[in-house]
Amino acid sequence: MSDVVDADELLRRIRRSRDLAAEEERVWLERAQSLTATDPDRAREATERALTYQVVAGVLTEIIAPGSRPVDAEGTGAAGVRHVT
């Protein structure tokens, strides 16, 4: 990680990471749905992993476009994280 990168390359890397996190969230949600009936414990773990990827994707989205994520009346975002200004 000793390479120097410009802002455009950094933005590209953040976007790729966000897209990967969104894809992993989808995969884990599908896995959770398929395991719900047969293995509730593993389904719960898969749901937790999906939520983790959702939060990561949300943070990366906030870095790319500050304020673009919807905020509800209580000041929390889609994942229930309070926005601090």
Side-chain angles (χ1 to χ4, degrees), residues 4-67:
V4 176
V5 296
D6 63 5
D8 289 335
E9 177 61 21
L10 182 59
L11 185 57
R12 279 190 292 276
R13 290 179 184 189
I14 292 171
R15 285 182 175 149
R16 276 194 310 264
S17 298
R18 179 199 54 190
D19 294 344
L20 176 64
E23 176 63 19
E24 286 294 318
E25 175 191 2
R26 185 190 62 75
V27 167
W28 282 104
L29 282 175
E30 287 177 3
R31 188 170 296 164
Q33 286 178 335
S34 69
L35 291 171
T36 298
T38 58
D39 193 347
D41 289 334
R42 288 182 59 203
R44 188 173 21 264
E45 179 184 340
T47 301
E48 290 170 0
R49 288 177 186 245
L51 180 59
T52 301
Y53 279 109
Q54 178 187 24
V55 171
V56 169
V59 168
L60 294 173
T61 298
E62 186 67 24
I63 291 170
I64 294 168

